[in-house]
Amino acid sequence: MKNNRDIIGRRALLRGATLGGSALILSGCDALNESDMFRSALRTAETLNQTVHRSLMDRAALAPEFPASDISPVFKTNGSLTGTSAEYLAHVDDKFADWTLRIDGMVAKPMDVSLETLRAMPSRTQITRHDCVEGWSAIAKWQGTPLRLLLQQAGLSARAKYIVFHCADSYGAQPYYESIDLIDAFHPQTILAWGMNGEMLPVKYGAPVRLRVERQLGYKHAKYVMRIEATDDLTKFHGGKGGYWEDVGDYEWYAGI
Ligand SMILES: Nc1nc2c(c(=O)[nH]1)N[C@H]1C(S)=C(S)[C@@H](COP(=O)(O)O)O[C@H]1N2
Ligand SMILES: [Mo]
């Protein structure tokens, strides 16, 4: 038999969580405590609670960070090595001086944010490992603006469920895009990186900004991000599966690591 406080605590929890006002069942009905049915109900509630809690904690956990001595001397590139739209190429020519990041969709205040403004906002620096689904990894130092700050500033709607990243490169006629849920969007290590290893982010690594979403595999880390759109429905974008590779059918939408 567990100690009394434990039982009372669980009673209160059960009453509040599942039995509503039916205190009748619990108050003064100690015989029920002894019944197998009651005990197994308690166990189920406990297990369920632990499972839900564990999985939520897991999504909130930080990805490992590394010392500067672990930074890879060469960071492999993959996928597109530049944006391809005419608009993007013009921005490369004038060093992104007039480039702005569009933030819209399910937000109260759609915004166009310049690179200068982004860089002036509070930033986070992290040395993390990038894991590509093709089987290689590399470590770099990333500096960028936490995505949650931008979403808060734009007034993200309470009805929004996903954040979509529209990129400046295409595979044939298909633009690269990606999406994440709000747990990843508000994760402390999810940043729009404009700095890499102490320099301005180079074009081949996604200039002027790329997503770093450190609990996910490489293809979720959208390069050449031009527009961020909040939505409650991924099926209305392109192939409807939430990302370029997901639409192609090669990779899963949720790529948690
Ligand atoms: N816009 C865009 N983002 C992209 C890709 C791409 O082709 N286009 N490739 C993805 C893949 S598969 C990986 S592994 C990483 C590669 O980033 P890197 O070139 O900085 O190594 O970018 C991801 N983001
Ligand atoms: Mo990748």
Side-chain angles (χ1 to χ4, degrees), residues 160-189:
K161 291 191 180 128
Y162 309 99
I163 307 298
V164 178
F165 302 86
H166 299 282
C167 305
D169 60 317
S170 305
Y171 285 71
Q174 299 305 313
Y176 200 92
Y177 78 107
E178 258 305 337
S179 60
I180 59 177
D181 66 17
L182 295 187
I183 296 180
D184 275 328
F186 282 80
H187 187 282
Q189 288 169 320

PDB file of all heavy atoms in Angstrom, residues 160-189:
ATOM      1  N   ALA A 160      -3.437  29.176 -35.671  1.00  0.00           N
ATOM      2  CA  ALA A 160      -2.355  28.668 -36.528  1.00  0.00           C
ATOM      3  C   ALA A 160      -1.797  27.367 -35.970  1.00  0.00           C
ATOM      4  O   ALA A 160      -1.757  27.182 -34.755  1.00  0.00           O
ATOM      5  CB  ALA A 160      -1.246  29.706 -36.640  1.00  0.00           C
ATOM      6  N   LYS A 161      -1.409  26.458 -36.863  1.00  0.00           N
ATOM      7  CA  LYS A 161      -0.866  25.166 -36.419  1.00  0.00           C
ATOM      8  C   LYS A 161       0.528  24.884 -36.971  1.00  0.00           C
ATOM      9  O   LYS A 161       1.261  24.084 -36.404  1.00  0.00           O
ATOM     10  CB  LYS A 161      -1.791  24.035 -36.875  1.00  0.00           C
ATOM     11  CG  LYS A 161      -3.130  24.014 -36.178  1.00  0.00           C
ATOM     12  CD  LYS A 161      -3.853  22.712 -36.493  1.00  0.00           C
ATOM     13  CE  LYS A 161      -5.199  22.655 -35.816  1.00  0.00           C
ATOM     14  NZ  LYS A 161      -6.258  22.336 -36.772  1.00  0.00           N
ATOM     15  N   TYR A 162       0.842  25.497 -38.099  1.00  0.00           N
ATOM     16  CA  TYR A 162       2.122  25.220 -38.757  1.00  0.00           C
ATOM     17  C   TYR A 162       2.744  26.516 -39.262  1.00  0.00           C
ATOM     18  O   TYR A 162       2.040  27.488 -39.523  1.00  0.00           O
ATOM     19  CB  TYR A 162       1.922  24.304 -39.973  1.00  0.00           C
ATOM     20  CG  TYR A 162       1.129  23.068 -39.676  1.00  0.00           C
ATOM     21  CD1 TYR A 162      -0.237  22.995 -39.981  1.00  0.00           C
ATOM     22  CD2 TYR A 162       1.741  21.958 -39.083  1.00  0.00           C
ATOM     23  CE1 TYR A 162      -0.966  21.852 -39.702  1.00  0.00           C
ATOM     24  CE2 TYR A 162       1.013  20.817 -38.805  1.00  0.00           C
ATOM     25  CZ  TYR A 162      -0.341  20.770 -39.116  1.00  0.00           C
ATOM     26  OH  TYR A 162      -1.059  19.646 -38.837  1.00  0.00           O
ATOM     27  N   ILE A 163       4.071  26.460 -39.432  1.00  0.00           N
ATOM     28  CA  ILE A 163       4.787  27.567 -40.045  1.00  0.00           C
ATOM     29  C   ILE A 163       5.426  27.030 -41.326  1.00  0.00           C
ATOM     30  O   ILE A 163       6.138  26.018 -41.305  1.00  0.00           O
ATOM     31  CB  ILE A 163       5.884  28.124 -39.100  1.00  0.00           C
ATOM     32  CG1 ILE A 163       5.284  28.480 -37.730  1.00  0.00           C
ATOM     33  CG2 ILE A 163       6.564  29.321 -39.752  1.00  0.00           C
ATOM     34  CD1 ILE A 163       4.217  29.551 -37.736  1.00  0.00           C
ATOM     35  N   VAL A 164       5.126  27.715 -42.446  1.00  0.00           N
ATOM     36  CA  VAL A 164       5.629  27.291 -43.750  1.00  0.00           C
ATOM     37  C   VAL A 164       6.758  28.236 -44.170  1.00  0.00           C
ATOM     38  O   VAL A 164       6.652  29.458 -44.004  1.00  0.00           O
ATOM     39  CB  VAL A 164       4.490  27.323 -44.792  1.00  0.00           C
ATOM     40  CG1 VAL A 164       5.009  26.925 -46.176  1.00  0.00           C
ATOM     41  CG2 VAL A 164       3.356  26.388 -44.371  1.00  0.00           C
ATOM     42  N   PHE A 165       7.848  27.661 -44.712  1.00  0.00           N
ATOM     43  CA  PHE A 165       8.994  28.444 -45.171  1.00  0.00           C
ATOM     44  C   PHE A 165       9.072  28.346 -46.688  1.00  0.00           C
ATOM     45  O   PHE A 165       9.243  27.250 -47.224  1.00  0.00           O
ATOM     46  CB  PHE A 165      10.282  27.910 -44.532  1.00  0.00           C
ATOM     47  CG  PHE A 165      10.211  27.935 -43.033  1.00  0.00           C
ATOM     48  CD1 PHE A 165       9.640  26.876 -42.330  1.00  0.00           C
ATOM     49  CD2 PHE A 165      10.671  29.036 -42.329  1.00  0.00           C
ATOM     50  CE1 PHE A 165       9.539  26.910 -40.943  1.00  0.00           C
ATOM     51  CE2 PHE A 165      10.574  29.083 -40.939  1.00  0.00           C
ATOM     52  CZ  PHE A 165       9.999  28.016 -40.250  1.00  0.00           C
ATOM     53  N   HIS A 166       8.908  29.480 -47.347  1.00  0.00           N
ATOM     54  CA  HIS A 166       8.990  29.520 -48.811  1.00  0.00           C
ATOM     55  C   HIS A 166      10.399  29.950 -49.205  1.00  0.00           C
ATOM     56  O   HIS A 166      10.901  30.964 -48.707  1.00  0.00           O
ATOM     57  CB  HIS A 166       7.969  30.512 -49.368  1.00  0.00           C
ATOM     58  CG  HIS A 166       6.543  30.164 -49.028  1.00  0.00           C
ATOM     59  ND1 HIS A 166       5.836  29.186 -49.705  1.00  0.00           N
ATOM     60  CD2 HIS A 166       5.696  30.656 -48.097  1.00  0.00           C
ATOM     61  CE1 HIS A 166       4.603  29.101 -49.196  1.00  0.00           C
ATOM     62  NE2 HIS A 166       4.490  29.986 -48.215  1.00  0.00           N
ATOM     63  N   CYS A 167      11.022  29.198 -50.092  1.00  0.00           N
ATOM     64  CA  CYS A 167      12.427  29.418 -50.445  1.00  0.00           C
ATOM     65  C   CYS A 167      12.570  29.977 -51.849  1.00  0.00           C
ATOM     66  O   CYS A 167      11.638  29.918 -52.651  1.00  0.00           O
ATOM     67  CB  CYS A 167      13.187  28.104 -50.357  1.00  0.00           C
ATOM     68  SG  CYS A 167      13.025  27.315 -48.740  1.00  0.00           S
ATOM     69  N   ALA A 168      13.779  30.483 -52.158  1.00  0.00           N
ATOM     70  CA  ALA A 168      14.015  31.140 -53.444  1.00  0.00           C
ATOM     71  C   ALA A 168      14.558  30.189 -54.499  1.00  0.00           C
ATOM     72  O   ALA A 168      14.886  30.625 -55.604  1.00  0.00           O
ATOM     73  CB  ALA A 168      14.984  32.313 -53.249  1.00  0.00           C
ATOM     74  N   ASP A 169      14.671  28.903 -54.177  1.00  0.00           N
ATOM     75  CA  ASP A 169      15.175  27.940 -55.175  1.00  0.00           C
ATOM     76  C   ASP A 169      14.083  26.955 -55.569  1.00  0.00           C
ATOM     77  O   ASP A 169      13.108  26.765 -54.843  1.00  0.00           O
ATOM     78  CB  ASP A 169      16.390  27.189 -54.627  1.00  0.00           C
ATOM     79  CG  ASP A 169      16.059  26.401 -53.352  1.00  0.00           C
ATOM     80  OD1 ASP A 169      15.358  26.951 -52.481  1.00  0.00           O
ATOM     81  OD2 ASP A 169      16.488  25.233 -53.242  1.00  0.00           O
ATOM     82  N   SER A 170      14.275  26.360 -56.747  1.00  0.00           N
ATOM     83  CA  SER A 170      13.294  25.391 -57.262  1.00  0.00           C
ATOM     84  C   SER A 170      14.006  24.171 -57.812  1.00  0.00           C
ATOM     85  O   SER A 170      15.168  24.253 -58.220  1.00  0.00           O
ATOM     86  CB  SER A 170      12.486  25.998 -58.409  1.00  0.00           C
ATOM     87  OG  SER A 170      11.894  27.194 -58.016  1.00  0.00           O
ATOM     88  N   TYR A 171      13.274  23.064 -57.817  1.00  0.00           N
ATOM     89  CA  TYR A 171      13.725  21.859 -58.528  1.00  0.00           C
ATOM     90  C   TYR A 171      12.789  21.743 -59.723  1.00  0.00           C
ATOM     91  O   TYR A 171      11.629  21.381 -59.555  1.00  0.00           O
ATOM     92  CB  TYR A 171      13.616  20.646 -57.632  1.00  0.00           C
ATOM     93  CG  TYR A 171      14.704  20.565 -56.569  1.00  0.00           C
ATOM     94  CD1 TYR A 171      14.731  21.442 -55.487  1.00  0.00           C
ATOM     95  CD2 TYR A 171      15.716  19.609 -56.670  1.00  0.00           C
ATOM     96  CE1 TYR A 171      15.728  21.366 -54.529  1.00  0.00           C
ATOM     97  CE2 TYR A 171      16.722  19.518 -55.709  1.00  0.00           C
ATOM     98  CZ  TYR A 171      16.716  20.404 -54.644  1.00  0.00           C
ATOM     99  OH  TYR A 171      17.699  20.337 -53.692  1.00  0.00           O
ATOM    100  N   GLY A 172      13.281  22.112 -60.916  1.00  0.00           N
ATOM    101  CA  GLY A 172      12.391  22.221 -62.060  1.00  0.00           C
ATOM    102  C   GLY A 172      11.358  23.285 -61.741  1.00  0.00           C
ATOM    103  O   GLY A 172      11.703  24.396 -61.347  1.00  0.00           O
ATOM    104  N   ALA A 173      10.073  22.916 -61.875  1.00  0.00           N
ATOM    105  CA  ALA A 173       9.017  23.899 -61.611  1.00  0.00           C
ATOM    106  C   ALA A 173       8.608  23.928 -60.140  1.00  0.00           C
ATOM    107  O   ALA A 173       7.782  24.728 -59.736  1.00  0.00           O
ATOM    108  CB  ALA A 173       7.814  23.592 -62.486  1.00  0.00           C
ATOM    109  N   GLN A 174       9.175  23.032 -59.347  1.00  0.00           N
ATOM    110  CA  GLN A 174       8.744  22.906 -57.952  1.00  0.00           C
ATOM    111  C   GLN A 174       9.606  23.725 -56.995  1.00  0.00           C
ATOM    112  O   GLN A 174      10.772  23.394 -56.788  1.00  0.00           O
ATOM    113  CB  GLN A 174       8.806  21.432 -57.511  1.00  0.00           C
ATOM    114  CG  GLN A 174       7.901  20.508 -58.307  1.00  0.00           C
ATOM    115  CD  GLN A 174       6.457  20.964 -58.294  1.00  0.00           C
ATOM    116  OE1 GLN A 174       5.914  21.288 -57.237  1.00  0.00           O
ATOM    117  NE2 GLN A 174       5.849  21.021 -59.463  1.00  0.00           N
ATOM    118  N   PRO A 175       9.039  24.770 -56.406  1.00  0.00           N
ATOM    119  CA  PRO A 175       9.830  25.534 -55.441  1.00  0.00           C
ATOM    120  C   PRO A 175      10.126  24.711 -54.192  1.00  0.00           C
ATOM    121  O   PRO A 175       9.314  23.877 -53.791  1.00  0.00           O
ATOM    122  CB  PRO A 175       8.948  26.738 -55.093  1.00  0.00           C
ATOM    123  CG  PRO A 175       7.594  26.426 -55.603  1.00  0.00           C
ATOM    124  CD  PRO A 175       7.683  25.290 -56.577  1.00  0.00           C
ATOM    125  N   TYR A 176      11.305  24.935 -53.602  1.00  0.00           N
ATOM    126  CA  TYR A 176      11.617  24.286 -52.330  1.00  0.00           C
ATOM    127  C   TYR A 176      10.815  24.980 -51.242  1.00  0.00           C
ATOM    128  O   TYR A 176      10.713  26.203 -51.223  1.00  0.00           O
ATOM    129  CB  TYR A 176      13.112  24.385 -52.008  1.00  0.00           C
ATOM    130  CG  TYR A 176      13.569  23.347 -50.994  1.00  0.00           C
ATOM    131  CD1 TYR A 176      14.068  22.118 -51.415  1.00  0.00           C
ATOM    132  CD2 TYR A 176      13.504  23.596 -49.624  1.00  0.00           C
ATOM    133  CE1 TYR A 176      14.482  21.146 -50.496  1.00  0.00           C
ATOM    134  CE2 TYR A 176      13.918  22.633 -48.698  1.00  0.00           C
ATOM    135  CZ  TYR A 176      14.415  21.417 -49.139  1.00  0.00           C
ATOM    136  OH  TYR A 176      14.827  20.472 -48.233  1.00  0.00           O
ATOM    137  N   TYR A 177      10.227  24.207 -50.382  1.00  0.00           N
ATOM    138  CA  TYR A 177       9.557  24.791 -49.223  1.00  0.00           C
ATOM    139  C   TYR A 177       9.579  23.753 -48.117  1.00  0.00           C
ATOM    140  O   TYR A 177       9.843  22.569 -48.359  1.00  0.00           O
ATOM    141  CB  TYR A 177       8.124  25.222 -49.571  1.00  0.00           C
ATOM    142  CG  TYR A 177       7.111  24.095 -49.639  1.00  0.00           C
ATOM    143  CD1 TYR A 177       6.155  23.947 -48.639  1.00  0.00           C
ATOM    144  CD2 TYR A 177       7.111  23.178 -50.691  1.00  0.00           C
ATOM    145  CE1 TYR A 177       5.218  22.907 -48.681  1.00  0.00           C
ATOM    146  CE2 TYR A 177       6.179  22.140 -50.744  1.00  0.00           C
ATOM    147  CZ  TYR A 177       5.245  22.010 -49.739  1.00  0.00           C
ATOM    148  OH  TYR A 177       4.336  20.985 -49.779  1.00  0.00           O
ATOM    149  N   GLU A 178       9.338  24.200 -46.911  1.00  0.00           N
ATOM    150  CA  GLU A 178       9.299  23.295 -45.773  1.00  0.00           C
ATOM    151  C   GLU A 178       8.281  23.809 -44.769  1.00  0.00           C
ATOM    152  O   GLU A 178       7.798  24.941 -44.893  1.00  0.00           O
ATOM    153  CB  GLU A 178      10.685  23.168 -45.113  1.00  0.00           C
ATOM    154  CG  GLU A 178      11.424  21.879 -45.479  1.00  0.00           C
ATOM    155  CD  GLU A 178      10.615  20.624 -45.174  1.00  0.00           C
ATOM    156  OE1 GLU A 178       9.715  20.667 -44.325  1.00  0.00           O
ATOM    157  OE2 GLU A 178      10.877  19.576 -45.792  1.00  0.00           O
ATOM    158  N   SER A 179       7.964  22.989 -43.760  1.00  0.00           N
ATOM    159  CA  SER A 179       7.045  23.438 -42.719  1.00  0.00           C
ATOM    160  C   SER A 179       7.349  22.695 -41.427  1.00  0.00           C
ATOM    161  O   SER A 179       7.887  21.585 -41.452  1.00  0.00           O
ATOM    162  CB  SER A 179       5.596  23.195 -43.136  1.00  0.00           C
ATOM    163  OG  SER A 179       5.381  21.812 -43.368  1.00  0.00           O
ATOM    164  N   ILE A 180       7.007  23.345 -40.322  1.00  0.00           N
ATOM    165  CA  ILE A 180       7.192  22.741 -38.993  1.00  0.00           C
ATOM    166  C   ILE A 180       5.961  23.054 -38.143  1.00  0.00           C
ATOM    167  O   ILE A 180       5.169  23.950 -38.479  1.00  0.00           O
ATOM    168  CB  ILE A 180       8.469  23.275 -38.286  1.00  0.00           C
ATOM    169  CG1 ILE A 180       8.432  24.803 -38.116  1.00  0.00           C
ATOM    170  CG2 ILE A 180       9.730  22.859 -39.057  1.00  0.00           C
ATOM    171  CD1 ILE A 180       9.637  25.387 -37.362  1.00  0.00           C
ATOM    172  N   ASP A 181       5.795  22.311 -37.048  1.00  0.00           N
ATOM    173  CA  ASP A 181       4.675  22.619 -36.154  1.00  0.00           C
ATOM    174  C   ASP A 181       5.103  23.682 -35.143  1.00  0.00           C
ATOM    175  O   ASP A 181       6.249  24.135 -35.141  1.00  0.00           O
ATOM    176  CB  ASP A 181       4.123  21.347 -35.491  1.00  0.00           C
ATOM    177  CG  ASP A 181       5.111  20.685 -34.532  1.00  0.00           C
ATOM    178  OD1 ASP A 181       6.095  21.333 -34.107  1.00  0.00           O
ATOM    179  OD2 ASP A 181       4.894  19.500 -34.201  1.00  0.00           O
ATOM    180  N   LEU A 182       4.165  24.063 -34.271  1.00  0.00           N
ATOM    181  CA  LEU A 182       4.446  25.182 -33.359  1.00  0.00           C
ATOM    182  C   LEU A 182       5.378  24.774 -32.216  1.00  0.00           C
ATOM    183  O   LEU A 182       6.038  25.638 -31.630  1.00  0.00           O
ATOM    184  CB  LEU A 182       3.145  25.778 -32.814  1.00  0.00           C
ATOM    185  CG  LEU A 182       2.256  26.440 -33.878  1.00  0.00           C
ATOM    186  CD1 LEU A 182       1.085  27.146 -33.214  1.00  0.00           C
ATOM    187  CD2 LEU A 182       3.031  27.403 -34.766  1.00  0.00           C
ATOM    188  N   ILE A 183       5.453  23.477 -31.913  1.00  0.00           N
ATOM    189  CA  ILE A 183       6.415  23.059 -30.872  1.00  0.00           C
ATOM    190  C   ILE A 183       7.827  23.360 -31.365  1.00  0.00           C
ATOM    191  O   ILE A 183       8.633  23.954 -30.652  1.00  0.00           O
ATOM    192  CB  ILE A 183       6.243  21.567 -30.516  1.00  0.00           C
ATOM    193  CG1 ILE A 183       4.865  21.330 -29.888  1.00  0.00           C
ATOM    194  CG2 ILE A 183       7.357  21.115 -29.564  1.00  0.00           C
ATOM    195  CD1 ILE A 183       4.597  19.880 -29.501  1.00  0.00           C
ATOM    196  N   ASP A 184       8.116  22.976 -32.607  1.00  0.00           N
ATOM    197  CA  ASP A 184       9.435  23.291 -33.156  1.00  0.00           C
ATOM    198  C   ASP A 184       9.608  24.795 -33.413  1.00  0.00           C
ATOM    199  O   ASP A 184      10.691  25.331 -33.239  1.00  0.00           O
ATOM    200  CB  ASP A 184       9.682  22.508 -34.450  1.00  0.00           C
ATOM    201  CG  ASP A 184      10.234  21.116 -34.153  1.00  0.00           C
ATOM    202  OD1 ASP A 184      10.954  20.975 -33.147  1.00  0.00           O
ATOM    203  OD2 ASP A 184       9.941  20.187 -34.916  1.00  0.00           O
ATOM    204  N   ALA A 185       8.524  25.455 -33.835  1.00  0.00           N
ATOM    205  CA  ALA A 185       8.642  26.890 -34.141  1.00  0.00           C
ATOM    206  C   ALA A 185       9.015  27.708 -32.904  1.00  0.00           C
ATOM    207  O   ALA A 185       9.741  28.695 -32.996  1.00  0.00           O
ATOM    208  CB  ALA A 185       7.338  27.410 -34.739  1.00  0.00           C
ATOM    209  N   PHE A 186       8.526  27.265 -31.724  1.00  0.00           N
ATOM    210  CA  PHE A 186       8.809  28.005 -30.488  1.00  0.00           C
ATOM    211  C   PHE A 186       9.964  27.406 -29.689  1.00  0.00           C
ATOM    212  O   PHE A 186      10.301  27.900 -28.616  1.00  0.00           O
ATOM    213  CB  PHE A 186       7.543  28.099 -29.616  1.00  0.00           C
ATOM    214  CG  PHE A 186       6.596  29.161 -30.116  1.00  0.00           C
ATOM    215  CD1 PHE A 186       5.750  28.919 -31.183  1.00  0.00           C
ATOM    216  CD2 PHE A 186       6.575  30.426 -29.535  1.00  0.00           C
ATOM    217  CE1 PHE A 186       4.897  29.907 -31.669  1.00  0.00           C
ATOM    218  CE2 PHE A 186       5.726  31.419 -30.011  1.00  0.00           C
ATOM    219  CZ  PHE A 186       4.876  31.157 -31.076  1.00  0.00           C
ATOM    220  N   HIS A 187      10.584  26.357 -30.209  1.00  0.00           N
ATOM    221  CA  HIS A 187      11.732  25.732 -29.537  1.00  0.00           C
ATOM    222  C   HIS A 187      12.875  26.753 -29.462  1.00  0.00           C
ATOM    223  O   HIS A 187      13.116  27.486 -30.414  1.00  0.00           O
ATOM    224  CB  HIS A 187      12.150  24.500 -30.340  1.00  0.00           C
ATOM    225  CG  HIS A 187      13.201  23.650 -29.692  1.00  0.00           C
ATOM    226  ND1 HIS A 187      14.538  23.999 -29.691  1.00  0.00           N
ATOM    227  CD2 HIS A 187      13.126  22.471 -29.029  1.00  0.00           C
ATOM    228  CE1 HIS A 187      15.229  23.057 -29.043  1.00  0.00           C
ATOM    229  NE2 HIS A 187      14.386  22.121 -28.637  1.00  0.00           N
ATOM    230  N   PRO A 188      13.581  26.816 -28.303  1.00  0.00           N
ATOM    231  CA  PRO A 188      14.607  27.862 -28.145  1.00  0.00           C
ATOM    232  C   PRO A 188      15.747  27.800 -29.165  1.00  0.00           C
ATOM    233  O   PRO A 188      16.379  28.814 -29.441  1.00  0.00           O
ATOM    234  CB  PRO A 188      15.145  27.643 -26.723  1.00  0.00           C
ATOM    235  CG  PRO A 188      14.570  26.351 -26.252  1.00  0.00           C
ATOM    236  CD  PRO A 188      13.360  26.054 -27.074  1.00  0.00           C
ATOM    237  N   GLN A 189      16.019  26.610 -29.723  1.00  0.00           N
ATOM    238  CA  GLN A 189      17.111  26.517 -30.702  1.00  0.00           C
ATOM    239  C   GLN A 189      16.635  26.696 -32.141  1.00  0.00           C
ATOM    240  O   GLN A 189      17.422  26.522 -33.074  1.00  0.00           O
ATOM    241  CB  GLN A 189      17.817  25.156 -30.584  1.00  0.00           C
ATOM    242  CG  GLN A 189      18.675  25.016 -29.336  1.00  0.00           C
ATOM    243  CD  GLN A 189      19.126  23.582 -29.142  1.00  0.00           C
ATOM    244  OE1 GLN A 189      18.349  22.650 -29.367  1.00  0.00           O
ATOM    245  NE2 GLN A 189      20.365  23.401 -28.716  1.00  0.00           N
TER     246      GLN A 189
END
